[in-house]
């Protein structure tokens, strides 16, 4: 069935199958692809689960319109099921956000700096009140990415925003068990902001890496990972 999935995906990539197109019947696909109907049925079920196909009662099976939200939902399923998904997401963020901090230091406008400062102030309020504060943490990171002026990067991070907030929530619940970590996290964000405001790209990159590596190392000490 995996070969059937790959062949259907290949047809979509080549443009031979487009959103709205109707698929052949199970019998026709079985004959055309040279596989059993059971394999075709299993492949269609897998593609239906992924949101690639849409079954219409009395009409047949069609290629659906894959939306960014669908991709995010399936990534969320991955994060739920994979043992080290929190750490994988952090590693991905380290790659993207280190470069984003570098670019933000070079390109941030006055308005971008104001947005970061506002997010940082909200983080300070969360810290003082004892709130978990994952929403404003994510807001700060989002303002850094937006300050790059790179729309593709900003869009990618926006699609992942819900997942990042979930990741931050789980991370903070663990990190804040240790006295002093709440204040340390805020201080790390302040260092990132200061470097970007000073237009020091090298320092901005390093402070962002240091921050995410700190979170990663703290998580490795606790129950959120099986490594």
């Amino acid at each position: 069935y995996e070969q059937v999935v790959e062949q259907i995906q290949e047809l979509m990539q080549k443009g031979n199958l487009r959103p709205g197109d109707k698929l052949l019947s199970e019998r026709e696909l079985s004959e055309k692809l040279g596989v059993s109907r059971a394999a075709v049925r299993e492949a269609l079920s897998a593609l239906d689960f992924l949101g690639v196909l849409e079954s219409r009662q009395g009409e047949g099976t069609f290629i659906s319109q894959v939306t960014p939200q669908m991709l995010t939902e399936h990534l969320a399923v991955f994060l739920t099921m994979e043992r080290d998904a929190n750490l994988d997401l952090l590693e991905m963020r380290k790659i993207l956000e280190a470069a984003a901090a570098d670019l933000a230091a070079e390109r941030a406008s006055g308005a971008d700096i104001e947005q970061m400062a506002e997010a940082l102030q909200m983080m300070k309020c969360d810290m003082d009140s004892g709130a978990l504060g994952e929403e404003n943490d994510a807001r700060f990171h989002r303002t850094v990415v937006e300050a790059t002026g790179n729309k593709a990067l900003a869009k990618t991070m926006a699609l992942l925003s819900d997942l990042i907030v979930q990741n931050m929530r789980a991370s903070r619940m663990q990190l804040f068990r240790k006295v002093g970590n709440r204040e340390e996290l805020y201080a790390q964000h302040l260092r990132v902001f200061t470097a970007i405001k000073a237009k020091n790209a090298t320092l901005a990159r390093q402070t962002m890496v240091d921050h995410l590596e700190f979170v990663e190392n703290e998580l490795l000490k606790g129950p959120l990972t099986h490594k």
Side-chain angles (χ1 to χ4, degrees), residues 53-64:
L53 300 181
E54 175 187 358
S55 297
R56 300 177 190 171
Q57 188 67 33
E59 295 184 49
T61 303
F62 296 79
I63 303 296
S64 64

Side-chain angles (χ1 to χ4, degrees), residues 99-118:
D102 187 316
L103 287 174
E106 295 178 1
R107 301 175 179 175
S109 65
D112 291 326
I113 296 299
E114 287 181 13
Q115 290 291 320
M116 286 181 223
E118 288 177 13

Side-chain angles (χ1 to χ4, degrees), residues 137-149:
D137 188 334
R139 177 184 172 188
F140 175 82
H141 285 270
R142 187 166 61 250
T143 61
V144 172
V145 171
E146 289 172 351
T148 67

Side-chain angles (χ1 to χ4, degrees), residues 37-168:
R37 291 186 65 173
V40 170
R41 193 175 302 116
E42 193 169 354
L44 296 183
S45 294
L47 290 169
D48 182 63
F49 171 75
L50 292 172
V52 175
L53 300 181
E54 175 187 358
S55 297
R56 300 177 190 171
Q57 188 67 33
E59 295 184 49
T61 303
F62 296 79
I63 303 296
S64 64
Q65 182 69 53
V66 180
T67 65
Q69 290 73 24
M70 290 164 59
L71 297 176
T72 305
E73 287 170 5
H74 293 301
L75 185 54
V77 172
F78 157 75
L79 289 173
T80 301
M81 298 177 67
E82 288 293 320
R83 289 172 32 169
D84 299 313
N86 280 306
L87 294 175
D88 286 344
L89 183 58
L90 266 174
E91 186 173 63
M92 183 195 73
R93 287 182 57 203
K94 188 161 53 177
I95 295 167
L96 294 178
E97 294 190 46
D102 187 316
L103 287 174
E106 295 178 1
R107 301 175 179 175
S109 65
D112 291 326
I113 296 299
E114 287 181 13
Q115 290 291 320
M116 286 181 223
E118 288 177 13
L120 201 60
Q121 180 57 42
M122 294 304 296
M123 289 182 68
K124 178 69 162 55
C125 292
D126 287 336
M127 181 183 68
D128 292 342
S129 67
L132 203 57
E134 72 277 10
E135 294 284 352
N136 287 315
D137 188 334
R139 177 184 172 188
F140 175 82
H141 285 270
R142 187 166 61 250
T143 61
V144 172
V145 171
E146 289 172 351
T148 67
N150 186 307
K151 294 180 180 179
L153 181 58
K155 184 66 174 177
T156 299
M157 296 304 290
L159 289 173
L160 296 173
S161 62
D162 288 345
L163 299 175
I164 289 173
V165 169
Q166 292 173 27
N167 176 257
M168 287 180 173

Side-chain angles (χ1 to χ4, degrees), residues 191-211:
R191 287 194 286 271
V192 172
F193 170 73
T194 302
I196 292 174
K197 186 177 180 181
K199 297 190 176 298
N200 188 330
T202 301
L203 185 59
R205 174 186 284 270
Q206 189 57 54
T207 52
M208 181 65 80
V209 170
D210 290 344
H211 161 55

